[in-house]
Amino acid sequence: MESQTGKTALITGATSGIGLELARLFAQDGYNLVLVARQEDSLRRVATDFEQQYNIRATTIAKDLMETNAPEEIYQQTRQQGITVDVLVNNAGMGEYGKFATETDLQKELGIIQLNATSLVHLTKLYLKEMVTRNEGKILMLASVVSAIPNPLMAVYGATKSFIYSFAEALRNELKDTQITVTALMPGATATDFFNKAGAQNAKVTDSDLADPAKVAKDGYDALMQGKDKVVSGFKNKMQVAMSHVLPDTVVSEAMRNMMNEKGYEEEADEEHESLTPLAIGLGLATVVLAAGIFLTASYTNANWYEKRRYKEKLKSLTNALTPSLN
């Protein structure tokens, strides 16, 4: 079977959730696929389905990216088969729910760092070198809304997503004079098996309006193909990210903690914290952001040179946060 584009996309975590939907979008557009996940039987089912539906070639590589040697083995396998990876999709990721100090398992968290961050860096290093040699390629990084917002009760997961976002933005700058693009996809809570695997199935956030993984994947795919640096999927999530640029981290963290607490959990809190429900913040966010912009603009006029520099940075962050919200 021959690809319509002659190009190949490698997708990690490709058998479910956002990864599966991204693989489907590439297949629909005629890309050959390299599907990476842990279970060979699941990989083969997806590969066979896509080959039959879209007349493309799907190669499967069963590897656990929590293992330190997995990225090199994946790379060597594609080289041995003569596969050129034109698009790298670093999608695989996992979380662990609970208080870091007393409730979560250290070994699992170290594995999460290996999966979410270390293996992602390793795969990117290997395939990006080839892209630079060809001066062509695309990379999609699965970041998250929590790349910009502290994530209590999933502290390690949130930290890895912040790392991914920063890494993606830095690489994009380094590659600005090439034909290679790096795009960060930043979804919020999505209707996948993520919360079950993380042990967070009873978190309040799971009762919210979870995003459709197909819609998230389409947002990421479109942004990747357009060469954008990032995309926050969903209007509510765009506003959350905008909020993170103008409100104190303590306020944003408290709001996120409220969403991540278990259902039925009531924490003793002062009136200020009780008012920081996601709904209240969501309803008032547009006003807060607008007011913050007006305040910063007005303050800039009478500021000294140092304060003006700080205000310019805040205004820039606010503008960047609002731009995707208004598109």
Side-chain angles (χ1 to χ4, degrees):
M1 298 179 182
E2 294 186 359
S3 162
Q4 298 170 32
T5 67
K7 295 185 176 182
T8 299
L10 186 153
I11 302 116
T12 65
T15 56
S16 64
I18 297 170
L20 175 63
E21 298 302 332
L22 282 165
R24 189 186 313 278
L25 291 169
F26 280 105
Q28 287 174 349
D29 277 355
Y31 280 79
N32 290 322
L33 302 175
V34 178
L35 306 174
V36 178
R38 288 179 295 178
Q39 301 298 325
E40 177 64 41
D41 54 347
S42 298
L43 284 167
R44 278 306 332 154
R45 282 197 298 271
V46 173
T48 300
D49 183 32
F50 286 171
E51 285 180 338
Q52 292 175 350
Q53 283 192 66
Y54 305 115
N55 194 35
I56 54 95
R57 181 175 67 254
T59 301
T60 63
I61 301 179
K63 294 291 178 184
D64 184 353
L65 286 166
M66 282 190 173
E67 297 178 359
T68 58
N69 58 340
E72 184 67 38
E73 291 175 353
I74 292 167
Y75 177 68
Q76 291 302 331
Q77 190 163 332
T78 57
R79 287 197 67 188
Q80 289 166 8
Q81 296 186 39
I83 297 172
T84 297
V85 172
D86 301 281
V87 182
L88 173 64
V89 179
N90 285 311
N91 165 76
M94 185 178 292
E96 168 81 334
Y97 181 77
K99 294 179 181 178
F100 175 78
T102 58
E103 295 177 352
T104 55
D105 179 75
L106 176 60
Q107 292 307 310
K108 184 173 181 181
E109 286 170 324
L110 292 176
I112 288 168
I113 294 170
Q114 175 67 40
L115 170 63
N116 294 7
T118 307
S119 286
L120 176 145
V121 169
H122 197 162
L123 282 173
T124 302
K125 187 81 163 185
L126 294 170
Y127 288 108
L128 183 55
K129 281 188 173 182
E130 293 191 349
M131 291 179 184
V132 169
T133 299
R134 300 191 306 269
N135 193 29
E136 182 182 21
K138 296 180 182 294
I139 300 175
L140 182 65
M141 306 279 201
L142 255 292
S144 169
V145 166
V146 300
S147 298
I149 301 173
N151 195 201
L153 301 182
M154 276 196 183
V156 171
Y157 172 78
T160 62
K161 292 299 178 177
S162 293
F163 173 87
I164 291 169
Y165 176 74
S166 177
F167 182 55
E169 289 289 347
L171 289 186
R172 186 177 178 89
N173 177 269
E174 292 181 7
L175 297 164
K176 64 183 180 179
D177 296 324
T178 73
Q179 298 301 309
I180 303 161
T181 61
V182 181
T183 302
L185 171 57
M186 302 170 68
T190 304
T192 68
D193 201 34
F194 171 81
F195 290 104
N196 289 330
K197 290 179 178 177
Q201 60 270 26
N202 292 321
K204 290 180 184 178
V205 68
T206 61
D207 281 343
S208 63
D209 185 17
L210 299 179
D212 179 356
K215 172 64 168 60
V216 172
K218 186 66 165 61
D219 288 343
Y221 186 81
D222 289 346
L224 178 73
M225 292 304 163
Q226 293 166 22
K228 293 184 177 180
D229 67 326
K230 62 180 177 291
V231 58
V232 182
S233 181
F235 180 77
K236 178 179 68 175
N237 298 321
K238 288 180 171 68
M239 297 307 288
Q240 273 191 303
V241 172
M243 173 182 69
S244 73
H245 290 285
V246 295
L247 295 180
D249 284 347
T250 53
V251 173
V252 179
S253 296
E254 190 68 28
M256 182 60 73
R257 172 66 181 273
N258 184 58
M259 289 191 290
M260 292 303 298
N261 278 330
E262 288 190 357
K263 301 169 189 176
Y265 177 82
E266 297 296 336
E267 182 178 26
E268 292 184 7
D270 57 30
E271 292 183 359
E272 178 186 4
H273 284 176
E274 287 175 351
S275 69
L276 294 174
T277 64
L279 177 60
I281 288 176
L283 291 174
L285 182 55
T287 302
V288 170
V289 172
L290 179 60
I294 294 171
F295 170 77
L296 289 172
T297 302
S299 299
Y300 181 84
T301 304
N302 299 318
N304 61 39
W305 70 269
Y306 175 72
E307 290 172 332
K308 284 185 176 182
R309 184 175 179 180
R310 288 181 59 213
Y311 287 138
K312 285 177 71 175
E313 288 301 314
K314 285 184 174 292
L315 281 168
K316 182 178 178 181
S317 294
L318 182 62
T319 302
N320 290 339
L322 281 174
T323 298
S325 302
L326 299 174
N327 289 337

Short mmCIF file of all heavy atoms in Angstrom, two decimals, residues 149-195:
data_model
loop_
_atom_site.label_atom_id
_atom_site.label_comp_id
_atom_site.label_asym_id
_atom_site.label_seq_id
_atom_site.Cartn_x
_atom_site.Cartn_y
_atom_site.Cartn_z
N ILE A 149 -0.60 26.24 34.41
CA ILE A 149 -1.33 26.35 35.68
C ILE A 149 -0.80 25.29 36.64
O ILE A 149 -0.74 24.11 36.29
CB ILE A 149 -2.83 26.12 35.45
CG1 ILE A 149 -3.39 27.16 34.47
CG2 ILE A 149 -3.59 26.17 36.76
CD1 ILE A 149 -4.82 26.90 34.06
N PRO A 150 -0.41 25.66 37.87
CA PRO A 150 0.01 24.65 38.85
C PRO A 150 -1.08 23.59 39.04
O PRO A 150 -2.27 23.92 38.99
CB PRO A 150 0.23 25.46 40.13
CG PRO A 150 0.53 26.85 39.65
CD PRO A 150 -0.31 27.03 38.41
N ASN A 151 -0.69 22.35 39.25
CA ASN A 151 -1.63 21.23 39.24
C ASN A 151 -1.59 20.44 40.55
O ASN A 151 -1.08 19.31 40.58
CB ASN A 151 -1.34 20.33 38.05
CG ASN A 151 -2.45 19.36 37.70
OD1 ASN A 151 -2.22 18.36 37.05
ND2 ASN A 151 -3.67 19.63 38.13
N PRO A 152 -2.09 20.98 41.66
CA PRO A 152 -2.10 20.24 42.92
C PRO A 152 -2.80 18.89 42.77
O PRO A 152 -3.78 18.76 42.03
CB PRO A 152 -2.89 21.16 43.86
CG PRO A 152 -2.75 22.52 43.28
CD PRO A 152 -2.71 22.32 41.79
N LEU A 153 -2.29 17.91 43.48
CA LEU A 153 -2.76 16.52 43.48
C LEU A 153 -2.35 15.76 42.22
O LEU A 153 -2.64 14.58 42.09
CB LEU A 153 -4.27 16.42 43.71
CG LEU A 153 -4.77 17.03 45.03
CD1 LEU A 153 -6.27 16.83 45.18
CD2 LEU A 153 -4.03 16.42 46.22
N MET A 154 -1.69 16.44 41.30
CA MET A 154 -0.98 15.81 40.20
C MET A 154 0.27 16.64 39.92
O MET A 154 0.53 17.05 38.79
CB MET A 154 -1.85 15.69 38.95
CG MET A 154 -2.76 14.49 38.92
SD MET A 154 -3.38 14.18 37.25
CE MET A 154 -4.47 12.80 37.58
N ALA A 155 1.02 16.89 40.97
CA ALA A 155 2.12 17.85 40.91
C ALA A 155 3.19 17.43 39.90
O ALA A 155 3.71 18.27 39.15
CB ALA A 155 2.73 18.04 42.29
N VAL A 156 3.56 16.17 39.88
CA VAL A 156 4.62 15.71 38.98
C VAL A 156 4.14 15.76 37.53
O VAL A 156 4.86 16.20 36.63
CB VAL A 156 5.09 14.29 39.36
CG1 VAL A 156 6.02 13.72 38.30
CG2 VAL A 156 5.80 14.33 40.72
N TYR A 157 2.92 15.31 37.30
CA TYR A 157 2.35 15.36 35.94
C TYR A 157 2.34 16.80 35.43
O TYR A 157 2.79 17.08 34.31
CB TYR A 157 0.94 14.80 35.94
CG TYR A 157 0.21 15.00 34.64
CD1 TYR A 157 0.47 14.19 33.54
CD2 TYR A 157 -0.74 16.01 34.51
CE1 TYR A 157 -0.19 14.38 32.34
CE2 TYR A 157 -1.41 16.21 33.31
CZ TYR A 157 -1.13 15.39 32.23
OH TYR A 157 -1.79 15.59 31.04
N GLY A 158 1.84 17.72 36.25
CA GLY A 158 1.80 19.12 35.85
C GLY A 158 3.18 19.67 35.55
O GLY A 158 3.37 20.43 34.59
N ALA A 159 4.15 19.29 36.37
CA ALA A 159 5.52 19.77 36.16
C ALA A 159 6.08 19.26 34.84
O ALA A 159 6.78 20.00 34.12
CB ALA A 159 6.41 19.34 37.32
N THR A 160 5.80 18.01 34.49
CA THR A 160 6.30 17.49 33.21
C THR A 160 5.65 18.21 32.04
O THR A 160 6.29 18.44 31.01
CB THR A 160 6.05 15.97 33.07
OG1 THR A 160 4.63 15.69 33.09
CG2 THR A 160 6.74 15.19 34.18
N LYS A 161 4.39 18.60 32.18
CA LYS A 161 3.72 19.31 31.09
C LYS A 161 4.26 20.73 30.95
O LYS A 161 4.35 21.25 29.83
CB LYS A 161 2.20 19.32 31.31
CG LYS A 161 1.56 17.94 31.17
CD LYS A 161 1.78 17.37 29.77
CE LYS A 161 1.21 15.99 29.60
NZ LYS A 161 1.35 15.45 28.23
N SER A 162 4.63 21.36 32.06
CA SER A 162 5.29 22.66 31.98
C SER A 162 6.63 22.53 31.27
O SER A 162 7.01 23.38 30.45
CB SER A 162 5.51 23.24 33.38
OG SER A 162 4.28 23.54 34.00
N PHE A 163 7.34 21.46 31.57
CA PHE A 163 8.61 21.18 30.90
C PHE A 163 8.41 21.04 29.39
O PHE A 163 9.14 21.62 28.59
CB PHE A 163 9.23 19.90 31.47
CG PHE A 163 10.45 19.44 30.73
CD1 PHE A 163 11.70 19.92 31.06
CD2 PHE A 163 10.34 18.53 29.69
CE1 PHE A 163 12.83 19.51 30.36
CE2 PHE A 163 11.46 18.10 28.99
CZ PHE A 163 12.72 18.60 29.33
N ILE A 164 7.39 20.28 29.00
CA ILE A 164 7.15 20.05 27.58
C ILE A 164 6.86 21.36 26.86
O ILE A 164 7.39 21.62 25.77
CB ILE A 164 5.97 19.06 27.39
CG1 ILE A 164 6.37 17.66 27.85
CG2 ILE A 164 5.51 19.03 25.93
CD1 ILE A 164 5.21 16.69 27.94
N TYR A 165 6.04 22.20 27.46
CA TYR A 165 5.70 23.47 26.83
C TYR A 165 6.94 24.35 26.67
O TYR A 165 7.18 24.91 25.59
CB TYR A 165 4.64 24.19 27.66
CG TYR A 165 4.30 25.56 27.12
CD1 TYR A 165 3.54 25.69 25.96
CD2 TYR A 165 4.75 26.72 27.75
CE1 TYR A 165 3.25 26.95 25.44
CE2 TYR A 165 4.46 27.97 27.25
CZ TYR A 165 3.71 28.07 26.09
OH TYR A 165 3.42 29.32 25.58
N SER A 166 7.73 24.46 27.73
CA SER A 166 8.94 25.27 27.67
C SER A 166 9.92 24.72 26.64
O SER A 166 10.53 25.46 25.86
CB SER A 166 9.60 25.33 29.05
OG SER A 166 10.80 26.07 29.01
N PHE A 167 10.07 23.41 26.63
CA PHE A 167 10.96 22.73 25.67
C PHE A 167 10.52 23.00 24.24
O PHE A 167 11.34 23.34 23.36
CB PHE A 167 10.95 21.23 25.97
CG PHE A 167 11.84 20.38 25.11
CD1 PHE A 167 13.19 20.65 24.99
CD2 PHE A 167 11.32 19.29 24.44
CE1 PHE A 167 14.02 19.86 24.21
CE2 PHE A 167 12.14 18.48 23.66
CZ PHE A 167 13.49 18.77 23.54
N ALA A 168 9.22 22.89 23.99
CA ALA A 168 8.69 23.12 22.64
C ALA A 168 8.94 24.55 22.17
O ALA A 168 9.35 24.79 21.03
CB ALA A 168 7.20 22.80 22.60
N GLU A 169 8.69 25.51 23.04
CA GLU A 169 8.88 26.91 22.68
C GLU A 169 10.35 27.22 22.42
O GLU A 169 10.70 27.99 21.51
CB GLU A 169 8.31 27.83 23.76
CG GLU A 169 6.79 27.83 23.84
CD GLU A 169 6.13 28.52 22.67
OE1 GLU A 169 6.81 29.22 21.90
OE2 GLU A 169 4.90 28.36 22.50
N ALA A 170 11.24 26.65 23.23
CA ALA A 170 12.67 26.88 23.05
C ALA A 170 13.16 26.28 21.73
O ALA A 170 13.92 26.92 20.98
CB ALA A 170 13.45 26.30 24.22
N LEU A 171 12.72 25.06 21.42
CA LEU A 171 13.12 24.43 20.16
C LEU A 171 12.61 25.22 18.97
O LEU A 171 13.32 25.38 17.97
CB LEU A 171 12.58 23.00 20.08
CG LEU A 171 13.22 21.95 20.99
CD1 LEU A 171 12.65 20.58 20.66
CD2 LEU A 171 14.74 21.94 20.84
N ARG A 172 11.40 25.72 19.09
CA ARG A 172 10.84 26.49 17.98
C ARG A 172 11.72 27.70 17.67
O ARG A 172 11.97 28.03 16.51
CB ARG A 172 9.42 26.93 18.31
CG ARG A 172 8.72 27.61 17.15
CD ARG A 172 7.29 27.97 17.48
NE ARG A 172 6.68 28.67 16.35
CZ ARG A 172 6.05 28.08 15.34
NH1 ARG A 172 5.97 26.75 15.32
NH2 ARG A 172 5.52 28.79 14.37
N ASN A 173 12.21 28.36 18.72
CA ASN A 173 13.09 29.50 18.52
C ASN A 173 14.40 29.08 17.87
O ASN A 173 14.89 29.73 16.94
CB ASN A 173 13.36 30.21 19.84
CG ASN A 173 14.33 31.36 19.69
OD1 ASN A 173 15.53 31.19 19.83
ND2 ASN A 173 13.81 32.54 19.38
N GLU A 174 14.97 27.97 18.33
CA GLU A 174 16.23 27.50 17.76
C GLU A 174 16.09 27.14 16.29
O GLU A 174 17.05 27.22 15.51
CB GLU A 174 16.73 26.29 18.54
CG GLU A 174 17.18 26.60 19.97
CD GLU A 174 17.68 25.36 20.70
OE1 GLU A 174 17.80 24.29 20.06
OE2 GLU A 174 17.95 25.47 21.92
N LEU A 175 14.87 26.73 15.90
CA LEU A 175 14.63 26.25 14.54
C LEU A 175 13.98 27.30 13.64
O LEU A 175 13.54 26.98 12.53
CB LEU A 175 13.74 25.00 14.59
CG LEU A 175 14.33 23.79 15.32
CD1 LEU A 175 13.24 22.78 15.64
CD2 LEU A 175 15.44 23.15 14.49
N LYS A 176 13.93 28.55 14.10
CA LYS A 176 13.16 29.57 13.38
C LYS A 176 13.68 29.85 11.98
O LYS A 176 12.93 30.33 11.12
CB LYS A 176 13.12 30.87 14.19
CG LYS A 176 14.48 31.53 14.38
CD LYS A 176 14.35 32.76 15.26
CE LYS A 176 15.71 33.43 15.47
NZ LYS A 176 15.60 34.65 16.31
N ASP A 177 14.94 29.55 11.71
CA ASP A 177 15.50 29.79 10.38
C ASP A 177 15.51 28.54 9.51
O ASP A 177 16.21 28.48 8.50
CB ASP A 177 16.93 30.35 10.51
CG ASP A 177 16.95 31.71 11.18
OD1 ASP A 177 16.02 32.51 10.95
OD2 ASP A 177 17.89 31.97 11.96
N THR A 178 14.75 27.52 9.92
CA THR A 178 14.66 26.28 9.16
C THR A 178 13.22 26.07 8.68
O THR A 178 12.33 26.87 8.98
CB THR A 178 15.07 25.07 10.02
OG1 THR A 178 14.02 24.80 10.99
CG2 THR A 178 16.37 25.34 10.76
N GLN A 179 13.01 24.98 7.98
CA GLN A 179 11.68 24.60 7.52
C GLN A 179 11.04 23.58 8.47
O GLN A 179 10.16 22.82 8.06
CB GLN A 179 11.76 24.02 6.10
CG GLN A 179 12.27 25.01 5.07
CD GLN A 179 11.39 26.25 4.99
OE1 GLN A 179 10.17 26.15 4.86
NE2 GLN A 179 12.01 27.42 5.08
N ILE A 180 11.48 23.57 9.71
CA ILE A 180 10.97 22.65 10.72
C ILE A 180 10.12 23.43 11.71
O ILE A 180 10.53 24.51 12.17
CB ILE A 180 12.11 21.94 11.46
CG1 ILE A 180 13.00 21.20 10.46
CG2 ILE A 180 11.56 20.98 12.52
CD1 ILE A 180 14.37 20.86 10.99
N THR A 181 8.94 22.93 12.03
CA THR A 181 8.07 23.59 13.00
C THR A 181 7.83 22.71 14.21
O THR A 181 7.83 21.47 14.11
CB THR A 181 6.73 23.97 12.37
OG1 THR A 181 6.05 22.79 11.93
CG2 THR A 181 6.92 24.92 11.20
N VAL A 182 7.63 23.36 15.34
CA VAL A 182 7.31 22.67 16.59
C VAL A 182 6.04 23.29 17.15
O VAL A 182 5.95 24.52 17.30
CB VAL A 182 8.45 22.79 17.62
CG1 VAL A 182 8.09 22.05 18.91
CG2 VAL A 182 9.76 22.27 17.04
N THR A 183 5.06 22.44 17.44
CA THR A 183 3.76 22.91 17.91
C THR A 183 3.41 22.24 19.22
O THR A 183 3.55 21.02 19.35
CB THR A 183 2.66 22.60 16.87
OG1 THR A 183 3.00 23.21 15.62
CG2 THR A 183 1.30 23.10 17.33
N ALA A 184 2.94 23.01 20.18
CA ALA A 184 2.49 22.48 21.47
C ALA A 184 0.97 22.47 21.49
O ALA A 184 0.33 23.50 21.28
CB ALA A 184 3.04 23.32 22.62
N LEU A 185 0.39 21.31 21.74
CA LEU A 185 -1.06 21.16 21.89
C LEU A 185 -1.39 21.18 23.37
O LEU A 185 -0.84 20.38 24.14
CB LEU A 185 -1.53 19.86 21.24
CG LEU A 185 -2.99 19.44 21.49
CD1 LEU A 185 -3.96 20.52 21.05
CD2 LEU A 185 -3.28 18.11 20.77
N MET A 186 -2.30 22.07 23.77
CA MET A 186 -2.60 22.26 25.20
C MET A 186 -4.09 22.01 25.46
O MET A 186 -4.90 22.94 25.50
CB MET A 186 -2.20 23.68 25.62
CG MET A 186 -0.73 23.98 25.39
SD MET A 186 -0.30 25.71 25.63
CE MET A 186 -0.55 25.91 27.39
N PRO A 187 -4.48 20.76 25.65
CA PRO A 187 -5.88 20.47 25.98
C PRO A 187 -6.11 20.58 27.49
O PRO A 187 -5.16 20.61 28.27
CB PRO A 187 -6.04 19.02 25.53
CG PRO A 187 -4.68 18.42 25.71
CD PRO A 187 -3.69 19.54 25.45
N GLY A 188 -7.38 20.63 27.86
CA GLY A 188 -7.76 20.51 29.26
C GLY A 188 -8.20 19.07 29.52
O GLY A 188 -7.79 18.14 28.82
N ALA A 189 -9.05 18.90 30.52
CA ALA A 189 -9.55 17.56 30.86
C ALA A 189 -10.31 16.99 29.67
O ALA A 189 -11.22 17.63 29.13
CB ALA A 189 -10.45 17.64 32.08
N THR A 190 -9.94 15.78 29.26
CA THR A 190 -10.46 15.17 28.05
C THR A 190 -11.04 13.79 28.37
O THR A 190 -10.54 13.10 29.27
CB THR A 190 -9.35 15.07 26.99
OG1 THR A 190 -8.80 16.38 26.76
CG2 THR A 190 -9.88 14.54 25.67
N ALA A 191 -12.04 13.40 27.63
CA ALA A 191 -12.73 12.13 27.87
C ALA A 191 -11.91 10.96 27.33
O ALA A 191 -12.25 10.35 26.31
CB ALA A 191 -14.12 12.16 27.23
N THR A 192 -10.84 10.64 28.03
CA THR A 192 -10.00 9.48 27.71
C THR A 192 -9.88 8.63 28.97
O THR A 192 -10.52 8.91 29.99
CB THR A 192 -8.60 9.93 27.26
OG1 THR A 192 -7.91 10.52 28.38
CG2 THR A 192 -8.70 10.96 26.13
N ASP A 193 -9.02 7.63 28.94
CA ASP A 193 -8.81 6.77 30.10
C ASP A 193 -7.75 7.34 31.05
O ASP A 193 -7.34 6.66 31.98
CB ASP A 193 -8.38 5.37 29.62
CG ASP A 193 -8.63 4.31 30.69
OD1 ASP A 193 -9.62 4.44 31.43
OD2 ASP A 193 -7.83 3.36 30.78
N PHE A 194 -7.32 8.57 30.80
CA PHE A 194 -6.25 9.18 31.58
C PHE A 194 -6.54 9.19 33.08
O PHE A 194 -5.70 8.80 33.89
CB PHE A 194 -6.00 10.61 31.10
CG PHE A 194 -5.06 11.39 31.98
CD1 PHE A 194 -3.69 11.24 31.85
CD2 PHE A 194 -5.54 12.26 32.94
CE1 PHE A 194 -2.81 11.94 32.68
CE2 PHE A 194 -4.68 12.98 33.76
CZ PHE A 194 -3.32 12.82 33.62
N PHE A 195 -7.71 9.64 33.47
CA PHE A 195 -8.02 9.78 34.89
C PHE A 195 -8.10 8.42 35.59
O PHE A 195 -7.68 8.28 36.74
CB PHE A 195 -9.31 10.57 35.09
CG PHE A 195 -9.18 12.02 34.73
CD1 PHE A 195 -9.70 12.51 33.54
CD2 PHE A 195 -8.50 12.90 35.56
CE1 PHE A 195 -9.56 13.84 33.19
CE2 PHE A 195 -8.35 14.24 35.24
CZ PHE A 195 -8.88 14.71 34.04
#
